Amino acid sequence: MILLFLSSNTPFITNMRHNKDITIYDIARELNISAATVSRGLKNNPVISEETRIRIQELAALKGYRPNTVARNLRRQKTNAIGMIVPRLDSYFIATVLAGIETVISPAGFHLIITQSFESVQKEITNTIAMFNSRVDALIVSLAADTTDISHFEPFWSKGIPVFFFDRVCDKDYCQKFVIDNYEAAYALTSHMISQGCRKIIHIAGNTTKNVYYDRMNGYKNALTDHGIKVKPSYILVNNLSLQAGIVAAEKILALKPLPDGVFVANDLCAACCMQMFKEKGLRIPEDIAVAGFNNDPVSRLVEPRLTTVNYPGELMGKLVATCLIDKLNGKSPADFSPLQIIKSELLIRGSTSRI
Amino acid sequence: MILLFLSSNTPFITNMRHNKDITIYDIARELNISAATVSRGLKNNPVISEETRIRIQELAALKGYRPNTVARNLRRQKTNAIGMIVPRLDSYFIATVLAGIETVISPAGFHLIITQSFESVQKEITNTIAMFNSRVDALIVSLAADTTDISHFEPFWSKGIPVFFFDRVCDKDYCQKFVIDNYEAAYALTSHMISQGCRKIIHIAGNTTKNVYYDRMNGYKNALTDHGIKVKPSYILVNNLSLQAGIVAAEKILALKPLPDGVFVANDLCAACCMQMFKEKGLRIPEDIAVAGFNNDPVSRLVEPRLTTVNYPGELMGKLVATCLIDKLNGKSPADFSPLQIIKSELLIRGSTSRI
DNA sequence: ATGAAAGCGCTAACAC
DNA sequence: GTGTTAGCGCTTTCAT
């Protein structure tokens, strides 16, 4: 008795079983009907009589039938899988986008296949090919840092498989992309810093071949120019925005004479890191030097003073991307669907720049 | 001429094409050989002559052949997909585990299908079924907050499909799980706080039906007891460890008389949040009240003072999980493979608890 | 309302 | 070294 009980509960024993999956044919045979009828009955095809439908579904449940998605996909030439390629997963922003996408996609019957490019085009290309071969129904991409050529997506386009870019998008007009107005946000942020009396503002940018960092840098530059402040190329530092890079950058800044009175960093983590370094050197934030970040990462609310930043609505963006994608896959894409979708961001002014 | 150029580059035009995939049969026909030979040649089966192999591969490349993974999966009864179910994606810890898993799995020819349970068993069950139906070759799971019954994994076990748990694992002995020694880490951390003169230590725990929070709480309790300090149930707060929850908890703590002299929070984000609240009320950290977290989230290094915490090596854990899994799938699982794998964690003593 | 049959693209056992 | 053949499990005309 106990043995029986165990045998239905411990994988050690049940592992041995490897009992074969039951198919629509098994059900058909047992019910003395055809596989076609079973197939129809299982998916509530109204053409099947109530009675047979019930018999089919009951037996299926009883025997623990599970539809074979692989066979179904092969037959229908459709996988219900959406591929996703992102630079890294360990970023709060990406995680929120993912969360948004998943909430929309999953109820719609799709699932996500996720890979990371680890900021390398090479890996991105490999992943793209793998996705293509696994026949994903669509692709959602945020580009790697060193991606300039995007011809690896060509196979998707030439087969009419949707490729949606978000955040780090390609520069081609015909690409479907979802972004915030990085230029505008950076312009507003920089203007705010100027309004707080900052005149010597450093900008720490990420890889400026990417639209996000390029646009933020330009927003910074133009805000300066428009306020009659000359842009000093030496005031623009480019790195990968990691904590380590933040330490190096902060040291560079601390060595400058005269000391700058503001630093606008293209992400929050690196900004927080710089701010910490400044504080450790005895500088007061924001009086001696104001610091601002970008993204509204939780860290921005936890450091002292709280970090001025730009709210980047990742989850919202994810939901929008996913909604548009599902619509497109279901063929009910509105005619006026613009290839460039801009999501509203928002300047969050906090202690780290409030000097007045 | 220009039109031709465009037509090979813009999706608007190529979208129209939807050119059919070419198959091994197309290649076979064109080369006047059999599909079987093409199949063999494509995968460098040594039984095929060098010459035909080259001819096959060249034509395949020329015609832009792509293997149909779906058909292959159906035929081989194997998907090379590994399912993953996690509570949420927007946690630094989870992201690092994922990164670790992905680096191992991808070169081994597998890909990840990721879903979130959003801390709900119901969603976890739905996801589990979906994974089962899509025939993943294995499952990697960190349980939702309210999962107690784990019978939804039974179908996997009864079919001999590996299910590996990490971090938030099930309590059954026969489950394969990967954890750190949460008890030991919390014990060490609490002991450290006591050694720094803390006597009235609050513990903020997550859902204690989960091993991770239960074990941390017990480590805390036993450390107190072993040092002759009585455990006060009112000193143990349970919440979901979010920032919002941190604010509420901090307020509760601030209202206590006498004021506690230490707070050990089960994650860093919530700990940082509490610390911030304390500081705003004019308390000095760690002199008036010491604060410690758990996980070694980047935020722990950016707040002031830096947060004492436990390094939870997520990436390492991910790599270990993935390596074991791949080995198992390839049938070269060592005989002595223990169902319980404990990864070493590490106490990181920083400013927020250094009172001596 | 139900069934027969073809085929999605690939692989592998078996033959030669 | 290469070909033949028989499916993997399902869907979907086309019949009846």
Side-chain angles (χ1 to χ4, degrees):
Chain A
M1 192 53 182
I2 282 172
L3 190 64
L4 274 175
F5 176 73
L6 278 175
S7 81
S8 72
N9 276 282
T10 75
F12 303 120
I13 299 179
T14 50
N15 261 351
M16 306 294 102
R17 282 216 305 271
H18 280 254
N19 40 7
K20 212 157 151 353
D21 269 319
I22 82 141
T23 73
I24 52 172
Y25 284 102
D26 299 326
I27 301 186
R29 198 179 319 114
E30 199 148 328
L31 254 34
N32 262 316
I33 55 179
S34 79
T37 306
V38 177
S39 173
R40 295 186 184 107
L42 247 13
K43 28 185 11 206
N44 297 320
N45 188 323
V47 85
I48 296 296
S49 76
E50 175 78 359
E51 193 213 324
T52 15
R53 213 204 62 220
I54 306 243
R55 286 173 61 217
I56 291 168
Q57 297 191 353
E58 273 176 355
L59 185 60
L62 180 69
K63 306 203 71 170
Y65 167 79
R66 60 165 175 165
N68 187 323
T69 329
V70 181
R72 181 161 201 264
N73 290 344
L74 176 60
R75 178 61 231 239
R76 304 191 330 154
Q77 301 287 72
K78 191 165 172 327
T79 58
N80 274 19
I82 293 174
M84 193 156 167
I85 305 177
V86 296
R88 333 193 65 97
L89 253 7
D90 61 354
S91 119
Y92 179 79
F93 165 68
I94 291 288
T96 54
V97 175
L98 237 64
I101 291 180
E102 226 257 324
T103 30
V104 173
I105 260 174
S106 174
F110 288 83
H111 62 266
L112 270 188
I113 298 182
I114 304 183
T115 59
Q116 312 182 63
S117 63
F118 292 105
E119 301 287 13
S120 132
V121 220
Q122 206 39 64
K123 185 90 178 6
E124 184 176 288
I125 294 175
T126 312
N127 293 345
T128 307
I129 296 173
M131 295 286 188
F132 188 65
N133 289 342
S134 31
R135 301 308 203 257
V136 292
D137 292 339
L139 202 55
I140 300 176
V141 183
S142 182
L143 294 170
D146 57 343
T147 301
T148 47
D149 179 29
I150 54 159
S151 57
H152 44 296
F153 299 110
E154 184 57 40
F156 284 86
W157 289 323
S158 75
K159 280 196 66 68
I161 304 170
V163 179
F164 280 26
F165 294 92
F166 74 94
D167 188 47
R168 304 219 206 142
V169 304
C170 77
D171 55 354
K172 301 287 182 288
D173 284 339
Y174 54 79
C175 292
Q176 177 66 54
K177 39 198 162 200
F178 297 77
V179 290
I180 58 166
D181 192 333
N182 287 286
Y183 171 87
E184 198 52 47
Y187 186 97
L189 176 49
T190 309
S191 300
H192 155 73
M193 291 179 80
I194 296 170
S195 80
Q196 297 294 305
C198 296
R199 285 299 171 272
K200 300 183 290 294
I201 306 177
I202 297 275
H203 177 52
I204 303 184
N207 186 322
T208 52
T209 62
K210 290 273 87 71
N211 62 304
V212 285
Y213 303 122
Y214 182 79
D215 292 350
R216 288 172 202 177
M217 182 178 68
N218 273 347
Y220 154 84
K221 281 183 182 173
N222 282 7
L224 291 186
T225 310
D226 289 356
H227 288 84
I229 303 174
K230 226 171 122 185
V231 174
K232 288 179 68 171
S234 67
Y235 270 20
I236 300 179
L237 275 40
V238 174
N239 63 32
N240 67 2
L241 301 176
S242 66
L243 291 194
Q244 293 87 322
I247 295 175
V248 175
E251 275 163 356
K252 264 190 210 151
I253 294 169
L254 286 165
L256 291 178
K257 293 184 179 128
L259 200 69
D261 53 16
V263 179
F264 162 30
V265 190
N267 84 5
D268 287 330
L269 231 50
C270 189
C273 181
C274 286
M275 190 162 81
Q276 182 175 56
M277 294 278 291
F278 297 155
K279 278 162 48 182
E280 282 175 0
K281 293 296 172 191
L283 295 178
R284 292 165 309 160
I285 317 283
E287 295 83 355
D288 296 327
I289 188 162
V291 180
F294 208 104
N295 278 359
N296 195 22
D297 188 288
V299 77
S300 67
R301 268 168 291 166
L302 294 170
V303 292
E304 185 189 332
R306 287 183 172 81
L307 201 57
T308 290
T309 188
V310 173
N311 182 43
Y312 196 145
E315 179 153 7
L316 186 69
M317 180 177 275
K319 282 181 178 164
L320 184 64
V321 170
T323 309
C324 293
L325 191 51
I326 299 291
D327 280 355
K328 175 144 195 172
L329 288 174
N330 290 336
K332 48 178 163 176
S333 172
D336 59 314
F337 192 95
S338 159
L340 177 61
Q341 297 279 328
I342 298 176
I343 287 103
K344 225 171 94 53
S345 63
E346 182 191 2
L347 178 57
L348 300 177
I349 297 173
R350 302 208 185 108
S352 70
T353 59
S354 301
R355 317 215 294 180
I356 301 183
Chain B
M1 192 55 185
I2 282 171
L3 190 64
L4 275 174
F5 175 73
L6 278 176
S7 79
S8 71
N9 277 283
T10 76
F12 302 122
I13 299 179
T14 51
N15 261 353
M16 305 295 102
R17 281 217 305 273
H18 281 256
N19 40 8
K20 213 157 151 350
D21 269 318
I22 84 142
T23 73
I24 52 172
Y25 284 103
D26 299 326
I27 300 186
R29 198 178 320 112
E30 198 148 329
L31 255 32
N32 262 316
I33 55 181
S34 80
T37 306
V38 176
S39 174
R40 294 185 186 109
L42 247 13
K43 31 185 8 208
N44 297 319
N45 187 323
V47 85
I48 296 296
S49 78
E50 176 77 1
E51 194 212 322
T52 17
R53 212 204 63 221
I54 306 242
R55 285 173 63 217
I56 292 167
Q57 297 193 353
E58 274 177 354
L59 185 59
L62 181 69
K63 306 202 72 172
Y65 167 80
R66 60 164 176 167
N68 187 324
T69 328
V70 181
R72 181 162 200 264
N73 290 344
L74 175 60
R75 177 62 229 241
R76 303 192 329 155
Q77 300 288 71
K78 192 166 173 324
T79 57
N80 274 19
I82 293 173
M84 193 154 167
I85 304 176
V86 296
R88 329 194 69 96
L89 252 9
D90 62 354
S91 119
Y92 179 78
F93 166 69
I94 291 288
T96 54
V97 175
L98 238 63
I101 291 179
E102 225 256 325
T103 30
V104 172
I105 258 174
S106 173
F110 289 82
H111 63 266
L112 270 188
I113 298 182
I114 304 184
T115 60
Q116 313 181 62
S117 63
F118 292 105
E119 301 287 13
S120 133
V121 220
Q122 206 38 65
K123 185 88 179 3
E124 184 176 288
I125 293 176
T126 312
N127 292 345
T128 307
I129 296 172
M131 294 285 187
F132 188 66
N133 289 343
S134 30
R135 303 297 204 265
V136 292
D137 292 339
L139 203 55
I140 300 176
V141 183
S142 182
L143 293 169
D146 57 344
T147 302
T148 47
D149 179 28
I150 54 159
S151 58
H152 45 297
F153 299 110
E154 185 56 41
F156 284 86
W157 289 323
S158 77
K159 280 198 63 66
I161 304 170
V163 179
F164 280 26
F165 294 93
F166 73 94
D167 188 46
R168 304 218 205 142
V169 303
C170 77
D171 55 355
K172 301 287 183 288
D173 284 339
Y174 55 79
C175 293
Q176 177 67 54
K177 38 198 162 200
F178 296 79
V179 290
I180 59 166
D181 191 334
N182 286 286
Y183 171 86
E184 198 51 46
Y187 186 97
L189 176 49
T190 310
S191 299
H192 155 72
M193 292 179 80
I194 297 170
S195 80
Q196 297 294 305
C198 296
R199 285 299 171 270
K200 300 183 289 295
I201 306 176
I202 298 273
H203 177 51
I204 304 183
N207 186 320
T208 52
T209 62
K210 289 272 86 72
N211 62 304
V212 286
Y213 303 121
Y214 182 79
D215 292 350
R216 287 172 203 178
M217 182 177 69
N218 273 347
Y220 154 85
K221 282 184 182 172
N222 282 7
L224 290 186
T225 311
D226 289 357
H227 287 85
I229 303 173
K230 229 172 119 182
V231 174
K232 288 180 69 170
S234 66
Y235 270 20
I236 299 179
L237 274 41
V238 174
N239 63 31
N240 68 2
L241 301 177
S242 66
L243 291 193
Q244 293 89 320
I247 294 174
V248 176
E251 275 164 357
K252 265 191 211 151
I253 293 169
L254 285 165
L256 290 178
K257 291 181 181 135
L259 200 70
D261 53 15
V263 180
F264 162 30
V265 191
N267 84 7
D268 288 329
L269 231 50
C270 189
C273 181
C274 287
M275 190 162 81
Q276 182 175 57
M277 294 277 293
F278 297 154
K279 279 165 42 182
E280 282 174 0
K281 293 296 172 192
L283 295 179
R284 292 165 308 160
I285 317 283
E287 294 82 356
D288 296 328
I289 189 163
V291 180
F294 208 104
N295 278 359
N296 194 23
D297 189 288
V299 78
S300 67
R301 268 167 292 166
L302 293 170
V303 292
E304 184 187 336
R306 287 183 172 81
L307 201 57
T308 290
T309 189
V310 172
N311 182 43
Y312 196 144
E315 179 154 6
L316 186 68
M317 179 177 275
K319 283 182 179 165
L320 184 64
V321 170
T323 309
C324 292
L325 191 51
I326 299 291
D327 280 355
K328 176 145 194 169
L329 289 174
N330 290 336
K332 46 178 164 176
S333 174
D336 59 313
F337 193 95
S338 159
L340 177 62
Q341 297 279 329
I342 299 175
I343 287 101
K344 228 172 92 51
S345 63
E346 181 191 1
L347 178 59
L348 299 177
I349 298 173
R350 302 208 184 107
S352 70
T353 60
S354 301
R355 316 215 294 180
I356 301 184

